[in-house]
Amino acid sequence: MKKHIIAAALTGALLTLAGCADESMPPSVQAQQLQPIDVASVLVKPVQSWHTYTTRLESPQEVALMPRVSGVIENIAFNEGDNVKKGDLLFKLDDRPFAAVVASLEAQINSAQAALEQAKSEAKRAVRLTERKAISTEQAESRTSVLRQREAQVAALQAQLTSAKLDLEFTSVVSPIDGIISRANITRGNNIIAGQSVLTSIVSNEKMYAYFDVDERTWNSAFSNVTAASHQPVVMQKVGQHEFAYKGYINFIDNQINPSTGTLRVRAVFNEDSDQLRAGSFARIKLAANSISEQVIVPDRAIGTDLKNRFVLTVGENNVLQYKLVTVGERYGSLRAVTSGLSEGDIIAINGPARVGPGMPIEPNTVTIDSSDVAFTLSNDESRIVAKQ
């Protein structure tokens, strides 16, 4: 019993001494113990809601080049990976068999035309002899029939010659479009088959398409008044990039909702810097809603998570931090929109709850939230948006 009384007396004495020490500590020393924390007034900015979609880029034109005639490759006239123009010679086939067919048909036509001239002469003579009753009607009709046969023979040979000349022309395989050519799949000296052998591929690079699907609810709520003619702006980010550096616009909207998925197929086109884009590349598309509203903007790192809640720490009376529940919206670069919980003029701890907590007195170090490199709305004049997500 005495031990308990002695322990209680000692504890009381120690508490009394500690209180005296705290009271004797000058205010300047107490202030030095407060933790300096960066604080800033929240921003209020006009913003648009962003919708992000993933896709792969597609070329408007892509050709798997195949020959129109069979033959042996004699020459390859391009450098693999080069830009080519429509009409440029790419492959040259051995044209000697085709030239021989043309020469043979030309000779046959000459012979047929001579026979035709003779048939015309005999037909005219038959008409004169018939008038003088020097030959029978049957003989005259026979000569006329021979004339018609000779005319048909010449016409048939002319058609064969036209086809042979086309085949001879097709021994020069030219580019059907402007674009970037791939490697040669079949090399010189190999035999190729018309309509089957794929010589190479060419993709157009004047612009790039990006198809993506927007769910029906989002489209009806945010883009119901958008048409292909309105050129709704979008921005795009390639894999490995932090910025949405490519600007494009919507130029196609499908004519119906897909009943299986409840989505609408939309296409964006990118004309600028298209030489830096490649078909098949993975890309992220950001599409801004038309409606613009003012919202509170804070650094994303200032927002903490408490179980299911999001919160920030605001600076209250006597520089004591206060707990504020918030509802967050879109992210804009390193900043985040807050749709509820904060209002203009609120001062927050911008580094979040990592080092401090609610009810803690601090020494505020006032700074400014930098938003100079962040686009909150997308206009037709803006070429990029910073979005590190």
Side-chain angles (χ1 to χ4, degrees):
M1 184 68 179
K2 290 181 180 180
K3 291 181 180 180
H4 291 296
I5 295 173
I6 293 171
L10 288 173
T11 302
L14 289 173
L15 290 174
T16 303
L17 290 173
C20 293
D22 289 340
E23 290 176 1
S24 63
M25 188 178 297
S28 60
V29 176
Q30 295 182 32
Q32 289 176 2
Q33 294 180 344
L34 298 179
Q35 187 168 2
I37 296 296
D38 290 340
V39 301
S41 296
V42 299
L43 302 178
V44 177
K45 296 282 187 180
V47 300
Q48 288 174 296
S49 295
W50 294 98
H51 302 272
T52 304
Y53 303 93
T54 57
T55 183
R56 289 195 179 273
L57 298 181
E58 296 183 21
S59 173
Q61 291 182 293
E62 183 173 351
V63 175
L65 192 64
M66 291 185 286
R68 297 189 181 187
V69 294
S70 300
V72 177
I73 297 177
E74 189 175 66
N75 186 38
I76 298 175
F78 66 91
N79 293 321
E80 296 176 327
D82 275 0
N83 283 287
V84 295
K85 297 292 184 181
K86 181 179 180 180
D88 285 353
L89 177 65
L90 303 179
F91 294 87
K92 180 64 179 174
L93 308 185
D94 184 1
D95 62 359
R96 290 174 296 177
F98 302 94
V101 172
V102 170
S104 175
L105 287 171
E106 287 176 341
Q108 292 179 52
I109 287 174
N110 290 334
S111 175
Q113 285 178 337
L116 175 60
E117 292 299 325
Q118 182 181 359
K120 286 180 180 179
S121 178
E122 291 180 356
K124 290 180 181 180
R125 189 180 303 113
V127 172
R128 292 195 302 269
L129 293 174
T130 302
E131 291 174 353
R132 289 183 288 176
K133 300 198 183 289
I135 62 173
S136 66
T137 303
E138 290 80 6
Q139 289 177 315
E141 290 177 351
S142 176
R143 294 186 181 184
T144 303
S145 175
V146 170
L147 173 62
R148 299 291 177 263
Q149 292 175 18
R150 295 291 182 265
E151 290 175 341
Q153 185 180 11
V154 170
L157 290 172
Q158 288 285 5
Q160 292 179 41
L161 178 61
T162 299
S163 177
K165 286 183 175 180
L166 282 175
D167 289 344
L168 179 61
E169 180 182 340
F170 292 152
T171 60
S172 297
V173 182
V174 299
S175 175
I177 62 171
D178 296 346
I180 301 176
I181 193 166
S182 182
R183 66 182 183 89
N185 296 327
I186 304 176
T187 55
R188 184 171 58 183
N190 286 288
N191 190 63
I192 56 176
I193 302 174
Q196 295 185 26
S197 303
V198 179
L199 301 175
T200 186
S201 62
I202 307 170
V203 293
S204 172
N205 63 338
E206 292 182 358
K207 55 187 175 183
M208 283 292 165
Y209 286 159
Y211 289 90
F212 54 96
D213 297 321
V214 182
D215 66 274
E216 184 177 3
R217 181 185 298 275
T218 299
W219 184 266
N220 291 337
S221 62
F223 307 106
S224 58
N225 61 339
V226 173
T227 64
S230 61
H231 285 185
Q232 182 78 6
V234 301
V235 288
M236 182 185 68
Q237 175 194 58
K238 295 194 298 184
V239 171
Q241 294 182 333
H242 296 295
E243 297 182 357
F244 284 75
Y246 300 94
K247 184 180 76 171
Y249 59 88
I250 291 176
N251 73 334
F252 165 78
I253 301 170
D254 209 349
N255 58 4
Q256 62 179 344
I257 301 289
N258 186 331
S260 300
T261 61
T263 58
L264 180 67
R265 175 58 58 94
V266 177
R267 183 181 70 199
V269 60
F270 297 89
N271 296 318
E272 298 180 3
D273 301 321
S274 58
D275 56 334
Q276 301 177 17
L277 305 176
R278 292 184 181 274
S281 297
F282 183 84
R284 298 176 68 203
I285 304 293
K286 270 186 172 287
L287 178 61
N290 285 333
S291 59
I292 298 177
S293 60
E294 286 195 344
Q295 291 184 6
V296 173
I297 303 296
V298 301
D300 192 53
R301 67 178 185 273
I303 302 173
T305 302
D306 181 9
L307 297 178
K308 296 182 179 181
N309 300 320
R310 296 288 190 92
F311 69 93
V312 297
L313 298 176
T314 61
V315 181
E317 189 176 355
N318 297 325
N319 294 328
V320 175
L321 295 179
Q322 297 179 347
Y323 179 95
K324 279 284 188 74
L325 286 174
V326 295
T327 303
V328 300
E330 299 287 334
R331 184 174 177 178
Y332 302 91
S334 61
L335 306 180
R336 175 82 72 171
V338 174
T339 58
S340 66
L342 294 176
S343 57
E344 187 174 3
D346 284 344
I347 299 176
I348 63 169
I350 65 172
N351 291 321
R355 297 165 52 195
V356 291
M360 180 181 293
I362 63 168
E363 181 182 344
N365 177 35
T366 303
V367 297
T368 303
I369 299 174
D370 183 15
S371 63
S372 59
D373 200 26
V374 179
F376 297 100
T377 61
L378 182 64
S379 67
N380 291 327
D381 298 328
E382 290 170 333
S383 60
R384 70 187 185 94
I385 176 173
V386 178
K388 299 179 181 178
Q389 294 189 21

